Amino acid sequence: MCINWSDYDKNLHQVADYISEVRKNTDLRAPCLAIVIVGNHDSSAVYVRNKIEACRRVGISPISIYMDENCTEEQLINVIHSLNDNFEVDAMIVQ
């Protein structure tokens, strides 16, 4: 599926229609996007909130994982590995 992202709303409808059609013709679950948020930055919160809203509009299940800004690199990597091992998660954003 090729999408021209110059018209955001039109493209969200295209993605939603595509996901709906695939799910209607198969026994597949909704795709899942995991979003790992490190810290509490206002601009990141807006970005993540917009991604979650877009996911819901098109039929993607979002999962949000909030981590303290003082978390260690090891803790973050462990969460990433855990999500990579989770067969319910199809994609991931670390913000």
Side-chain angles (χ1 to χ4, degrees), residues 1-5 10-19 22:
M1 176 178 186
C2 183
I3 297 175
N4 177 355
W5 287 102
K10 177 182 175 187
N11 291 314
L12 282 182
H13 289 294
Q14 287 177 334
V15 172
D17 290 346
Y18 178 77
I19 290 172
V22 168

Side-chain angles (χ1 to χ4, degrees), residues 2-3 5 7-8 16-17 31-32 42 47 49 52-53 59-60 62 68 70 81 83-85 91:
C2 183
I3 297 175
W5 287 102
D7 184 349
Y8 183 76
D17 290 346
C32 177
D42 290 340
Y47 175 81
R49 187 171 53 247
I52 290 170
E53 177 59 29
I60 295 173
D68 186 79
N70 296 319
H81 284 303
L83 291 168
N84 277 332
D85 293 339

Side-chain angles (χ1 to χ4, degrees), residues 32-36 79-84 89-94:
C32 177
L33 173 65
I35 305 170
V36 180
V79 168
I80 292 169
H81 284 303
S82 168
L83 291 168
N84 277 332
V89 175
D90 300 295
M92 180 185 337
I93 295 173
V94 178

Side-chain angles (χ1 to χ4, degrees), residues 58-74:
V58 300
I60 295 173
S61 299
I63 297 173
S64 302
I65 299 168
Y66 295 89
M67 299 187 69
D68 186 79
E69 65 184 31
N70 296 319
C71 73
T72 66
E73 182 178 343
E74 182 180 0

Side-chain angles (χ1 to χ4, degrees), residues 37-66:
I37 304 101
V38 180
N40 187 18
H41 302 282
D42 290 340
S43 58
S44 291
V46 171
Y47 175 81
V48 168
R49 187 171 53 247
N50 290 338
K51 294 300 171 208
I52 290 170
E53 177 59 29
C55 284
R56 290 185 175 138
R57 287 178 63 187
V58 300
I60 295 173
S61 299
I63 297 173
S64 302
I65 299 168
Y66 295 89

